[in-house]
Amino acid sequence: MSSSKHYAKGSPKPVLPEDGILRLYSMRFCPYAQRAHLVLNAKNVPYHTVNINLTEKPEWLVDFSPLLKVPALQLVEEKDQPSLIESLIISEYLDDKYPENPLLPKDPLKRAQDKILLERFSGITNAFVKILLEGTGLEDYWVALDIFEKELTKRGTAFFGGDKPGFVDYMIWPWFERLSVIEYRLPEEYNFDEKRFPKISKWIADLKADSVVKSFIATPEQHNEFWRTRKAGNPNYDLLA
Amino acid sequence: MSSSKHYAKGSPKPVLPEDGILRLYSMRFCPYAQRAHLVLNAKNVPYHTVNINLTEKPEWLVDFSPLLKVPALQLVEEKDQPSLIESLIISEYLDDKYPENPLLPKDPLKRAQDKILLERFSGITNAFVKILLEGTGLEDYWVALDIFEKELTKRGTAFFGGDKPGFVDYMIWPWFERLSVIEYRLPEEYNFDEKRFPKISKWIADLKADSVVKSFIATPEQHNEFWRTRKAGNPNYDLLA
């Protein structure tokens, strides 16, 4: 899957057509930005992608993302063309705004329970970063994953969203697509225990076959290569460009 | 304003009437728990308060709050009597569930913008904790507050919610009620600059007069005394009991 080149420091501001189409400021290998891509694709909402080099950020990024983070979503059809930031807020906005393929439950309790689950997902994201940067914390990762195995068992459905992927599924998927990077980082310790995580194992296989997930995916080899270059201090943002 | 005593380690589980009324696990001086009190009071939803000693937590807290935090809201009328955690999730749940006095805008964009503002409020909460614990970071606090002064100016209304307090107002108020604690902690450096923050100054005065805020308030002296005992390693949770 190809992607457009990443704008870096000194890059001129991209000139996009005044076509009223949403603009997503992204980075091809950012799991948070991937959340927004998945929701946009799940809802068949057209958008322009503006990829950003997060090491050497273009000067004009601040105009769209005050904290210089991705994803940021610019709503060019709205008054003053405001931008939204924070992947979960962007994703919920898109789900509220575009009714096709609703992702979050409408019931206030179920909605709140899904959001609590996403809060608890920080156990996974924190462990993931620690493993990548410090090479430790694998057991913390598995302990955090137990919560999701247990929850999927409790829900009794193939996906957190029910019979098809919903909000929680797409919000957490990017980290599972990157399991290979943990294995690459800790080849001697890594052991995905399918007996400990039978539901999650099946869930991963099912999501890999999902058309939305397939619409924005990278291979284990590509993720590993990106991580290798990032760890070496020179991330190859344009690996897929 | 009085409050019930805080349950500590070894306390028997409280016996509450099976009256179908919500149960809020709280701590009288916790700003996050205060958010839930304010929303419940804004909507005139009856609830039982179960105050928790956060230094010596009762053993049964885990049954209602898996991460042992407050606030937690137990929904005794729902199947299996589930509990919700995280102050913003609890507050949004209550707003979705109880239509009286709606707090968050219904428009997806305005809703998202309010949530982004609350994300950025972490600049204030982080600076607040740092000031209290380390005695530094006052300038960071003011810089974070600039964002809110600017936003209130941009909105052109007395409150973030418009002509009356809304979701953002009640979510951030607890930290402004505690400004006295910063002054108490840094008496020589603290200087609330009304010229730098004219809108916020007026907003603070307006909120102090709001009936919902007045329904769950503590005086500067009470906050300072709680902070004094907390800093001394022996928080007086029952100061108002």
Side-chain angles (χ1 to χ4, degrees):
Chain A
M1 186 166 305
S2 71
S3 82
S4 60
K5 284 206 173 191
H6 290 66
Y7 288 86
K9 197 170 169 179
S11 305
K13 209 168 182 167
V15 180
L16 294 171
E18 289 299 332
D19 51 11
I21 289 179
L22 297 176
R23 296 173 187 180
L24 180 64
Y25 297 82
S26 182
M27 189 281 273
R28 182 58 190 85
F29 294 97
C30 170
Y32 295 96
Q34 187 174 354
R35 288 173 162 175
H37 286 279
L38 293 176
V39 175
L40 286 159
N41 294 355
K43 294 182 160 284
N44 289 309
V45 177
Y47 61 100
H48 295 294
T49 299
V50 180
N51 277 325
I52 303 292
N53 178 320
L54 293 179
T55 315
E56 298 283 341
K57 297 172 183 178
E59 292 76 1
W60 41 260
L61 179 60
V62 71
D63 298 341
F64 310 108
S65 184
L67 304 177
L68 305 180
K69 297 194 299 183
V70 299
L73 183 70
Q74 193 189 7
L75 312 175
V76 292
E77 286 279 79
E78 302 281 350
K79 184 172 170 283
D80 300 330
Q81 305 199 325
S83 286
L84 301 180
I85 56 171
E86 299 295 336
S87 62
L88 292 177
I89 295 174
I90 289 172
S91 298
E92 189 174 357
Y93 164 81
L94 290 168
D95 194 41
D96 286 345
K97 182 80 178 179
Y98 299 96
E100 183 178 335
N101 192 10
L103 297 174
L104 265 170
K106 297 292 170 234
D107 173 64
L109 173 56
K110 290 204 174 96
R111 208 171 165 95
Q113 288 173 323
D114 274 5
K115 289 182 182 178
I116 291 167
L117 200 55
L118 289 173
E119 276 287 326
R120 301 203 66 183
F121 193 66
S122 61
I124 299 269
T125 58
N126 292 342
F128 185 78
V129 167
K130 199 170 175 193
I131 291 165
L132 263 52
L133 298 184
E134 300 172 27
T136 60
L138 191 54
E139 190 47 33
D140 289 346
Y141 188 94
W142 302 134
V143 168
L145 190 55
D146 282 334
I147 293 167
F148 287 79
E149 177 71 24
K150 195 174 157 190
E151 181 67 22
L152 207 45
T153 307
K154 187 177 159 196
R155 295 193 179 194
T157 48
F159 300 100
F160 291 96
D163 297 332
K164 59 179 194 166
F167 198 76
V168 168
D169 300 283
Y170 291 134
M171 294 301 104
I172 70 177
W173 167 254
W175 284 264
F176 294 94
E177 190 180 303
R178 288 158 178 77
L179 273 174
S180 66
V181 188
I182 303 184
E183 190 175 7
Y184 178 75
R185 181 74 173 86
L186 294 175
E188 285 167 25
E189 293 175 50
Y190 181 88
N191 173 29
F192 191 92
D193 184 349
E194 296 201 4
K195 283 193 186 134
R196 181 167 172 179
F197 305 112
K199 302 279 183 195
I200 290 290
S201 298
K202 174 79 167 56
W203 174 86
I204 290 173
D206 287 346
L207 269 182
K208 270 186 190 156
D210 176 66
S211 62
V212 173
V213 162
K214 286 199 287 188
S215 74
F216 193 87
I217 201 163
T219 65
E221 293 72 25
Q222 289 163 345
H223 282 299
N224 295 355
E225 174 62 8
F226 178 74
W227 165 248
R228 189 190 66 74
T229 60
R230 187 187 153 183
K231 190 157 181 283
N234 190 22
N236 187 357
Y237 293 109
D238 290 328
L239 187 65
L240 302 187
Chain B
M1 185 165 307
S2 70
S3 82
S4 60
K5 285 207 173 190
H6 290 66
Y7 288 86
K9 198 172 170 178
S11 305
K13 208 167 182 168
V15 180
L16 294 171
E18 289 299 331
D19 52 11
I21 288 179
L22 296 176
R23 299 174 185 178
L24 180 64
Y25 297 82
S26 182
M27 190 282 272
R28 181 59 189 82
F29 294 96
C30 170
Y32 295 96
Q34 188 174 353
R35 289 173 161 176
H37 286 279
L38 293 175
V39 175
L40 286 159
N41 293 356
K43 294 181 160 282
N44 289 308
V45 177
Y47 61 100
H48 296 294
T49 299
V50 180
N51 276 327
I52 302 293
N53 179 319
L54 294 179
T55 315
E56 298 282 342
K57 296 172 183 176
E59 292 76 2
W60 39 261
L61 179 60
V62 70
D63 298 342
F64 310 110
S65 184
L67 304 177
L68 306 180
K69 299 195 297 183
V70 297
L73 182 71
Q74 192 189 9
L75 312 176
V76 293
E77 286 280 79
E78 300 281 350
K79 183 170 170 286
D80 301 330
Q81 304 199 327
S83 287
L84 301 181
I85 55 171
E86 300 295 337
S87 62
L88 293 177
I89 295 174
I90 289 171
S91 298
E92 188 174 357
Y93 164 80
L94 291 168
D95 194 41
D96 286 345
K97 181 81 178 179
Y98 298 96
E100 184 178 333
N101 192 11
L103 297 174
L104 265 171
K106 297 292 171 235
D107 173 65
L109 172 57
K110 290 203 174 98
R111 208 172 166 95
Q113 287 172 325
D114 275 4
K115 289 182 182 179
I116 291 167
L117 200 55
L118 290 172
E119 276 287 327
R120 301 203 67 182
F121 193 66
S122 61
I124 299 269
T125 58
N126 291 343
F128 185 79
V129 167
K130 199 170 174 191
I131 290 166
L132 264 53
L133 299 184
E134 300 172 25
T136 60
L138 191 53
E139 189 49 33
D140 289 344
Y141 187 94
W142 302 134
V143 168
L145 191 54
D146 282 333
I147 293 167
F148 288 79
E149 177 70 24
K150 195 174 157 191
E151 181 68 21
L152 207 45
T153 307
K154 188 177 159 195
R155 295 193 180 195
T157 48
F159 299 100
F160 291 96
D163 297 333
K164 60 179 194 166
F167 198 77
V168 168
D169 300 283
Y170 291 134
M171 294 303 102
I172 71 177
W173 166 254
W175 284 264
F176 294 94
E177 191 181 302
R178 288 158 179 76
L179 274 174
S180 65
V181 189
I182 302 184
E183 190 175 6
Y184 178 75
R185 181 73 174 85
L186 294 175
E188 285 167 26
E189 293 175 50
Y190 181 88
N191 172 29
F192 191 92
D193 185 349
E194 297 200 5
K195 283 193 186 132
R196 179 167 172 179
F197 305 112
K199 302 279 183 194
I200 290 290
S201 299
K202 173 81 166 55
W203 174 86
I204 290 173
D206 287 345
L207 268 183
K208 269 186 190 155
D210 176 66
S211 62
V212 173
V213 162
K214 286 200 285 189
S215 74
F216 193 87
I217 201 164
T219 66
E221 293 73 24
Q222 290 163 343
H223 281 300
N224 294 356
E225 174 62 8
F226 178 74
W227 165 247
R228 189 190 66 75
T229 60
R230 187 186 152 183
K231 189 156 180 285
N234 190 20
N236 187 356
Y237 293 108
D238 290 328
L239 188 65
L240 302 186

